[in-house]
Amino acid sequence: MLYPLSVIKTRQMALEGSQRGLKGAVATARSVVAHDGIRGLYKGFGTVVCGMFPARMIYLSSLEASKAASGRVLHRFHLGDTAAVGAASFVGGAMASLSSQAVVVPIDVVAQRLMLLGGGPPPNAARDPNARAAAAAEAAAKQRTTGLRLARQIVATEGVGGLYRGFGASLAMFVPNSAIWWGSYGVWQQVLWQQLNALRGHSRHSEGDILRVQTVAGVLTGCTSAILTNPLDVVKTRLQTAGAAGAAVQHAPAAAAAAQPALAAAGAAAANAGNAGGCGATAAAAAAARPTWRGVAAQLAAQEGAAGFFRGVAPRMVSSSLWGTMMVTAYEWLKRLCIKDE
């Protein structure tokens, strides 16, 4: 249900010249649907679905174990209920994300590059001949490029390390995001329960009360985490998609100038070849000037200022709120269903 929002967010963050804000998100969605139909909004979906089952199992198992362990430690400090729940959830979320990154990062790299395939030419193609060449190569290859084929191309051109491009950036984004998400969720729940109990004058809760509190807490948590960690997500996305067709290749200006002839030649060769290997050649040329976390952030700040770090924040807030609400409601319901009798 929510995957199209990830595609829109990724294209807003990674494609040079794409519009920002809610209007930009709508324009991006229309462009993808106009060129590729509804299927274009599900680029990389199979890769994510296959990979996220083991990743999610690792994540949730680590979450519960870490929350329980940190809860026992924090109990010694006699914190208030809200602070204790928030701190335990914060630690649990951070450890859960940290333990699952070995599986998540390769999935993320492949899926995000697939998301940039299709959807029409990049916004800067009209004024950039290199972008037009890359778009032509990508258009010829997109129909035959699968997640497995793209993963093989990445390994062939960049080695196994190519599947872990931006691993440090991913840790820097997902670990705080997960910690903030679960920490905020714990705090918001405690605040909402306290307000509800004060309003009603008792602490007896029905299934309907639980569902309503979890839903509101999920929405508030999604907005909180999306706003606080969006700058990290923009930098991570640009790092992992640098060299993909139409992406904003972020690196030092001198290196960029040196890489342009190679990019143009690779794009033209790929257009003539008309196969998926061309995208690998383009990526190999872009890899000559390997982007860095600091370089991407500095260039983004110089070109767009602080606003650039909030590219894609609108679809990300919606996705995070809806995903969090659905996930945590189902998850908490299953936990209540499976609880053992005393």
Side-chain angles (χ1 to χ4, degrees):
M1 289 174 62
L2 301 176
Y3 190 81
L5 291 171
S6 295
V7 174
I8 294 167
K9 176 212 67 158
T10 298
R11 293 181 69 87
Q12 270 193 293
M13 289 180 174
L15 293 181
E16 187 177 5
S18 59
Q19 289 180 268
R20 296 193 296 263
L22 187 58
K23 185 182 292 186
V26 173
T28 299
R30 286 177 175 170
S31 175
V32 172
V33 173
H35 286 85
D36 297 329
I38 296 297
R39 291 180 62 183
L41 294 174
Y42 287 88
K43 280 283 184 181
F45 182 72
T47 300
V48 170
V49 169
C50 292
M52 282 303 173
F53 279 114
R56 192 54 58 182
M57 290 170 64
I58 296 170
Y59 182 94
L60 290 174
S61 299
S62 301
L63 172 73
E64 292 298 337
S66 301
K67 280 172 64 178
S70 57
R72 288 193 293 270
V73 173
L74 291 167
H75 180 70
R76 304 171 187 172
F77 296 94
H78 306 290
L79 301 175
D81 289 344
T82 301
V85 169
S89 299
F90 184 92
V91 173
M95 295 305 298
S97 184
L98 187 63
S99 65
S100 63
Q101 286 304 298
V103 179
V104 168
V105 173
I107 296 168
D108 219 18
V109 170
V110 174
Q112 287 181 143
R113 293 195 186 190
L114 285 172
M115 289 175 188
L116 299 185
L117 294 177
N124 66 337
R127 63 179 185 275
D128 188 344
N130 292 328
R132 288 199 299 272
E138 174 265 323
K142 68 179 182 180
Q143 296 300 331
R144 296 186 297 275
T145 302
T146 62
L148 183 60
R149 182 172 295 178
L150 185 55
R152 287 173 176 169
Q153 289 173 10
I154 293 171
V155 172
T157 57
E158 303 177 42
V160 175
L163 292 174
Y164 285 89
R165 180 187 284 196
F167 184 77
S170 191
L171 287 177
M173 197 286 288
F174 280 116
V175 172
N177 182 73
S178 180
I180 290 170
W181 201 99
W182 285 102
S184 299
Y185 179 71
V187 170
W188 280 120
Q189 266 202 312
Q190 286 293 312
V191 169
L192 291 170
W193 282 127
Q194 289 171 3
Q195 294 297 318
L196 185 62
N197 293 342
L199 183 65
R200 294 187 174 180
H202 62 77
S203 58
R204 297 185 300 276
H205 306 135
S206 65
E207 282 288 326
D209 292 335
I210 294 173
L211 181 61
R212 283 188 287 273
V213 167
Q214 289 174 349
T215 300
V216 175
V219 172
L220 294 172
T221 298
C223 293
T224 302
S225 63
I227 292 172
L228 292 177
T229 60
N230 200 77
L232 297 171
D233 198 11
V234 174
V235 176
K236 176 195 74 73
T237 299
R238 291 202 169 197
L239 266 175
Q240 293 181 330
T241 59
V249 183
Q250 305 289 333
H251 39 63
Q260 286 305 319
L263 281 170
N272 292 331
N275 57 41
C279 290
T282 307
R290 180 75 64 179
T292 64
W293 171 275
R294 182 179 295 179
V296 171
Q299 185 164 343
L300 186 61
Q303 290 179 343
E304 303 185 39
F309 291 97
F310 288 90
R311 280 185 168 276
V313 71
R316 191 166 183 265
M317 284 179 65
V318 175
S319 177
S320 182
S321 297
L322 294 178
W323 170 82
T325 301
M326 289 190 286
M327 182 277 292
V328 82
T329 301
Y331 181 55
E332 297 284 9
W333 176 76
L334 285 170
K335 283 170 63 178
R336 293 197 301 275
L337 186 68
C338 297
I339 196 168
K340 294 179 179 180
D341 293 329
E342 290 294 337

